[in-house]
Amino acid sequence: MSDQHAQKQAAAKAALQYIEEDMILGVGTGSTVNCLIELLPTIRLAGAVASSQVTEDKLRALGIDIIDLNFAGTLDVYIDGADEVNANLQLIKGGGGALTREKIVAAASKKFICMVDDSKSVEILGRQFPVPIEVLPQARSYVARQLVQMGAEPVYREDFVTDYGNVILDTYDLDVSDPSALEQQLNNIVGVVCNGIFAANQADVLLKASSNGVQVLTR
Ligand code: 5RP
């Protein structure tokens, strides 16, 4: 399995073992999750909580009932991809801009299953992939200045609005050597809605696909 798409498909197939009939499943966003969504019609679900409008539309198109998280209670399982993952199963997410809704559904779930191809594994988060930060539109410049003061380089994601009507600053050169501390520090900047470091809501299980198959890592 050298091909990245084949690896995503293999990770998605491996995720099926965590899904039980008649459960309400939390479903993430992105191309890896799309591989999973294609497989979902083989399982009878009570419904799904979607982490983005895009995912919601795809699930509906397959006839899967969409449940509002407010009426779903605590979910047993949330399955999603990631942009980067470290050895502690801490993540950077938000490449697709759905980080806030993804973090909410992950937080409301007992188990977060993360599916990645082997290009996503890193020693230290944030060296290659920027940290996406969702910001209230009015606070964009203020938050950007605070990030520059931290030695980072925020880049406004042009022509993109989140499901919640906010904007994204893709932020390079942050020191992510302590993901939990940085996640909190970024949340403390006024105007920040959410950031793409998933340390408090890290994965519980990592399905890592490579040319050797799918490795299951737990914490
Ligand atoms: C979307 C995300 C995705 O999980 C992340 O971008 C990975 O995407 P892909 O599976 O397409 O590589 O966080 O906001």
Side-chain angles (χ1 to χ4, degrees), residues 8 29-32 80-83 93-98 102 120:
K8 289 181 186 202
T29 300
S31 57
T32 315
D80 200 353
D83 298 300
K93 290 184 47 55
E102 290 172 339
K120 308 288 183 68

mmCIF file of all heavy atoms in Angstrom, residues 8 29-32 80-83 93-98 102 120, ligand 1:
data_model
loop_
_atom_site.group_PDB
_atom_site.id
_atom_site.type_symbol
_atom_site.label_atom_id
_atom_site.label_comp_id
_atom_site.label_asym_id
_atom_site.label_seq_id
_atom_site.Cartn_x
_atom_site.Cartn_y
_atom_site.Cartn_z
ATOM 1 N N LYS A 8 -5.608 5.443 2.983
ATOM 2 C CA LYS A 8 -6.787 6.045 3.626
ATOM 3 C C LYS A 8 -7.943 5.045 3.623
ATOM 4 O O LYS A 8 -8.659 4.893 4.634
ATOM 5 C CB LYS A 8 -7.184 7.334 2.895
ATOM 6 C CG LYS A 8 -6.195 8.462 3.127
ATOM 7 C CD LYS A 8 -6.588 9.756 2.424
ATOM 8 C CE LYS A 8 -5.467 10.764 2.611
ATOM 9 N NZ LYS A 8 -5.852 12.147 2.459
ATOM 10 N N THR A 29 -14.535 14.734 9.292
ATOM 11 C CA THR A 29 -14.545 15.440 8.004
ATOM 12 C C THR A 29 -13.215 15.217 7.288
ATOM 13 O O THR A 29 -12.159 15.180 7.927
ATOM 14 C CB THR A 29 -14.733 16.955 8.254
ATOM 15 O OG1 THR A 29 -15.976 17.145 8.936
ATOM 16 C CG2 THR A 29 -14.763 17.743 6.943
ATOM 17 N N GLY A 30 -13.284 15.108 5.964
ATOM 18 C CA GLY A 30 -12.044 15.038 5.183
ATOM 19 C C GLY A 30 -12.026 13.838 4.251
ATOM 20 O O GLY A 30 -12.959 13.028 4.233
ATOM 21 N N SER A 31 -10.943 13.702 3.479
ATOM 22 C CA SER A 31 -10.892 12.654 2.458
ATOM 23 C C SER A 31 -10.813 11.261 3.076
ATOM 24 O O SER A 31 -11.334 10.299 2.508
ATOM 25 C CB SER A 31 -9.705 12.903 1.515
ATOM 26 O OG SER A 31 -8.506 12.959 2.242
ATOM 27 N N THR A 32 -10.156 11.112 4.241
ATOM 28 C CA THR A 32 -10.096 9.794 4.884
ATOM 29 C C THR A 32 -11.485 9.412 5.397
ATOM 30 O O THR A 32 -11.926 8.268 5.232
ATOM 31 C CB THR A 32 -9.070 9.796 6.042
ATOM 32 O OG1 THR A 32 -7.874 10.446 5.595
ATOM 33 C CG2 THR A 32 -8.735 8.387 6.485
ATOM 34 N N ASP A 80 -12.518 10.120 12.971
ATOM 35 C CA ASP A 80 -12.100 11.265 12.153
ATOM 36 C C ASP A 80 -10.664 11.055 11.683
ATOM 37 O O ASP A 80 -9.954 10.156 12.161
ATOM 38 C CB ASP A 80 -12.218 12.561 12.990
ATOM 39 C CG ASP A 80 -12.294 13.808 12.122
ATOM 40 O OD1 ASP A 80 -12.131 13.722 10.887
ATOM 41 O OD2 ASP A 80 -12.503 14.905 12.693
ATOM 42 N N GLY A 81 -10.210 11.897 10.783
ATOM 43 C CA GLY A 81 -8.826 11.908 10.320
ATOM 44 C C GLY A 81 -8.034 12.966 11.077
ATOM 45 O O GLY A 81 -8.493 13.508 12.083
ATOM 46 N N ALA A 82 -6.830 13.263 10.574
ATOM 47 C CA ALA A 82 -5.996 14.308 11.180
ATOM 48 C C ALA A 82 -4.985 14.785 10.152
ATOM 49 O O ALA A 82 -4.705 14.097 9.162
ATOM 50 C CB ALA A 82 -5.275 13.765 12.417
ATOM 51 N N ASP A 83 -4.457 15.958 10.399
ATOM 52 C CA ASP A 83 -3.405 16.492 9.524
ATOM 53 C C ASP A 83 -2.020 16.089 10.010
ATOM 54 O O ASP A 83 -1.116 15.884 9.199
ATOM 55 C CB ASP A 83 -3.531 18.017 9.453
ATOM 56 C CG ASP A 83 -4.868 18.412 8.860
ATOM 57 O OD1 ASP A 83 -5.127 18.032 7.709
ATOM 58 O OD2 ASP A 83 -5.676 19.049 9.558
ATOM 59 N N LYS A 93 -5.524 19.268 13.652
ATOM 60 C CA LYS A 93 -6.652 19.087 12.756
ATOM 61 C C LYS A 93 -7.126 20.446 12.259
ATOM 62 O O LYS A 93 -6.721 21.466 12.783
ATOM 63 C CB LYS A 93 -7.804 18.373 13.483
ATOM 64 C CG LYS A 93 -7.481 16.912 13.781
ATOM 65 C CD LYS A 93 -8.641 16.150 14.413
ATOM 66 C CE LYS A 93 -9.943 16.352 13.748
ATOM 67 N NZ LYS A 93 -9.940 16.046 12.306
ATOM 68 N N GLY A 94 -7.979 20.403 11.242
ATOM 69 C CA GLY A 94 -8.547 21.652 10.763
ATOM 70 C C GLY A 94 -8.121 22.033 9.360
ATOM 71 O O GLY A 94 -8.456 23.112 8.875
ATOM 72 N N GLY A 95 -7.397 21.094 8.705
ATOM 73 C CA GLY A 95 -7.032 21.361 7.310
ATOM 74 C C GLY A 95 -8.260 21.631 6.456
ATOM 75 O O GLY A 95 -8.232 22.426 5.523
ATOM 76 N N GLY A 96 -9.353 20.965 6.809
ATOM 77 C CA GLY A 96 -10.610 21.172 6.082
ATOM 78 C C GLY A 96 -11.463 22.274 6.696
ATOM 79 O O GLY A 96 -12.574 22.538 6.225
ATOM 80 N N GLY A 97 -10.970 22.880 7.766
ATOM 81 C CA GLY A 97 -11.656 24.026 8.368
ATOM 82 C C GLY A 97 -12.786 23.666 9.322
ATOM 83 O O GLY A 97 -13.510 24.544 9.791
ATOM 84 N N ALA A 98 -12.912 22.385 9.656
ATOM 85 C CA ALA A 98 -14.043 21.970 10.502
ATOM 86 C C ALA A 98 -13.628 21.772 11.951
ATOM 87 O O ALA A 98 -14.316 21.122 12.727
ATOM 88 C CB ALA A 98 -14.654 20.678 9.944
ATOM 89 N N GLU A 102 -15.501 19.644 14.924
ATOM 90 C CA GLU A 102 -14.831 18.353 15.165
ATOM 91 C C GLU A 102 -14.447 18.226 16.639
ATOM 92 O O GLU A 102 -14.614 17.156 17.254
ATOM 93 C CB GLU A 102 -13.576 18.241 14.301
ATOM 94 C CG GLU A 102 -13.882 18.078 12.821
ATOM 95 C CD GLU A 102 -12.655 18.165 11.926
ATOM 96 O OE1 GLU A 102 -11.626 18.718 12.341
ATOM 97 O OE2 GLU A 102 -12.747 17.690 10.799
ATOM 98 N N LYS A 120 1.129 11.328 7.885
ATOM 99 C CA LYS A 120 0.647 12.240 8.935
ATOM 100 C C LYS A 120 1.432 12.138 10.248
ATOM 101 O O LYS A 120 1.256 12.974 11.130
ATOM 102 C CB LYS A 120 -0.835 11.959 9.220
ATOM 103 C CG LYS A 120 -1.756 11.952 7.993
ATOM 104 C CD LYS A 120 -1.965 13.334 7.466
ATOM 105 C CE LYS A 120 -2.924 13.413 6.297
ATOM 106 N NZ LYS A 120 -4.296 13.118 6.586
HETATM 107 C C1 5RP B 1 -10.776 18.615 8.673
HETATM 108 C C2 5RP B 1 -9.745 17.773 9.339
HETATM 109 C C3 5RP B 1 -9.345 16.512 8.660
HETATM 110 O O1 5RP B 1 -9.500 15.456 9.533
HETATM 111 C C4 5RP B 1 -7.899 16.629 8.270
HETATM 112 O O2 5RP B 1 -7.719 17.781 7.476
HETATM 113 C C5 5RP B 1 -7.431 15.389 7.502
HETATM 114 O O3 5RP B 1 -8.008 15.372 6.246
HETATM 115 P P1 5RP B 1 -7.746 14.226 5.193
HETATM 116 O O4 5RP B 1 -8.393 12.992 5.714
HETATM 117 O O5 5RP B 1 -8.405 14.752 3.932
HETATM 118 O O6 5RP B 1 -6.265 14.067 5.001
HETATM 119 O O7 5RP B 1 -9.256 18.065 10.397
HETATM 120 O O8 5RP B 1 -10.987 19.806 9.373
#
